[in-house]
Amino acid sequence: MEPHENTGHPRRWAILGVLVISLLVVVLDNTILNVALRTLADPVHGLGASQGELEWAINSYTLVFAGLLFTFGVLGDRLGRKRFLLVGLTLFGLASLLSAYAHDPGQLIAARALMGVGGAAIMPVTLSIISNVFDPRERARAIGVWAGAVGLAVAIGPVLGGALLEHYWWGSVFLINVPVVALGVVLVAALVPESRDPRPGRVDLPGVLLSVVGLVALTYGIIDGGEHGFDRLPVWAAIAGGVAVLAWFVAHELRSDHPSLDVRLFRVPRFAAPVAMVGLVFFAAMGVMFFGAFYLQLVRGYSPLESGLLFLPFAVAQLVFAPRSAAMVRRYGGRAVSAVGLLLTAVALGAFVLIDADTPIWIFSALGFVQGAGMANIMPPATESIMSALPREKAGVGSAVSNTVRQVAGALGVAVLGSVLSAVYRNEVTPALSGLPTPAHEAARESISGAYAVADRLGPAAPQLIAAANDSFVSAMHWAAVISALVAALGIVIVLRWMPGRPLIVTETRPASERELAGTP
């Protein structure tokens, strides 16, 4: 029997369902577009987009989304989280409609950027609303459901996208968002209570601007380096500039008497350790999902829909284990649960070195299930630890920090591991390309996709080139898998050294961060 009255909202579980619907549409959009790229490049059935235009159709969303996440989390606390959620959903739905009926790649890129604005308004407030409508004793379980929904959306995006493209035109991958958003707006307006920081103080305008400029510059540099190589001065200028501006942001926040983010929080293990853990695990995981999609569709020859279905075990594991992680944390403590989750993730990522062009495909899906089970026991305790370090009225800040780190780390993982993949592939495949005409040689050397395009015109020599490209790609995939596993293993070290163990029994009204910074238990 609980000795204290439950302080949660009477309709908190219905509200959680509404928030999951709002969240699904944002996370789905991060993955659903990937399966439509080939169609969008088709001048007859798509928009005839070039490779660069396709890259920006994805990157315009990521750049705006990552750049505004922190700012919108802070402003949501001040101006009202329900209001931000409604505005974000409306913008997202409108931008989805514009994307579906874009007449050229430029319109699609602009509409996708607008979707990024809507997504950045939605994502942080979903988590901060959870912190405000749930009693702290139930919050970990609710965050587990929230994390399970994120994992589910990541995996079902390619499945849904593939199914839509098999039956409808390319715009359907965006149009599907509109009825979901409309339902979300109605339910949010009817069920979700308004909440905000009752003592917001002055707006830290310089801090907000510095965070946007720093995050946009850093994210742009990472994306550009991943797409076109890290051996160019503009890439490093953007990355170094972004890091410098973010360092300026930290210095400003330390001096400000009304900071948008109290950077002293990073001295608190229960805040800093899970933030680092989230960054490391998404760096590793998103890089593997990136090369996994190429492996399934090119090396193994599966359709986009079939490839998406092969990722479903990852989603099933997330859906099954994430909501149960709170009970595991209560029993064994956050440190033990997170360490085991990271160990499972590292083992699954490292085991990709055993995958080759002829491996039974069920092994690929089984590794996805193990990885999903591991991540399901990482995100909920990490997120709960981050949110518990802040008072309820500052929940948007904690949510924004967590989501920003996840987004930037995921982009960095794709960029860095993608660069490793490309470098090893080029080194391995080059000896097999002797004798090819220069244009064909360059295309086949650049990527496995280029090799397959060249092979279509080679006639009897095609099977030899395809075999060499497949072998080179698998070898490169093994290198990327080893690096991913090592990054996840670094997370284990951080957890065992700095992550709190069993949950604290809180008897004070101050958040954990204030007690720990003050030196009280």
Side-chain angles (χ1 to χ4, degrees), residues 321 324-334 337 377:
F321 293 108
R324 292 166 171 77
S325 65
M328 300 295 288
V329 170
R330 282 195 301 271
R331 184 169 182 179
Y332 300 108
V337 172
N377 285 291

Side-chain angles (χ1 to χ4, degrees), residues 458-476:
L458 285 184
Q464 184 177 353
L465 174 60
I466 292 295
N470 285 347
D471 289 343
S472 300
F473 182 84
V474 168
S475 178

Side-chain angles (χ1 to χ4, degrees), residues 355-485:
I355 300 287
D356 58 32
D358 303 311
T359 301
I361 203 61
W362 67 265
I363 295 178
F364 181 94
S365 293
L367 292 178
F369 183 86
V370 174
Q371 181 187 344
M375 291 182 66
N377 285 291
I378 295 169
M379 289 307 299
T383 306
E384 163 62 11
S385 185
I386 292 167
M387 301 305 288
S388 69
L390 294 163
R392 284 185 175 187
E393 60 268 20
K394 299 290 186 184
V397 174
S399 174
V401 169
S402 174
N403 284 301
T404 300
V405 168
R406 180 170 59 189
Q407 190 71 23
V408 173
L412 187 60
V414 171
V416 172
L417 293 176
S419 296
V420 170
L421 196 76
S422 297
V424 176
Y425 169 82
R426 286 194 294 267
N427 185 61
E428 295 277 341
V429 80
T430 298
L433 304 180
S434 57
L436 287 179
T438 300
H441 182 283
E442 290 302 313
R445 183 177 178 272
E446 184 63 28
S447 68
I448 187 173
S449 302
Y452 271 72
V454 167
D456 287 340
R457 304 189 296 270
L458 285 184
Q464 184 177 353
L465 174 60
I466 292 295
N470 285 347
D471 289 343
S472 300
F473 182 84
V474 168
S475 178
M477 184 176 79
H478 291 166
W479 277 94
V482 169
I483 295 172
S484 296

Side-chain angles (χ1 to χ4, degrees), residues 164-181:
L164 288 170
L165 289 172
E166 285 194 2
H167 298 93
Y168 305 103
W169 102 111
W170 64 266
S172 62
V173 301
F174 300 110
L175 202 60
I176 191 68
N177 294 336
V178 176
V180 180
V181 165

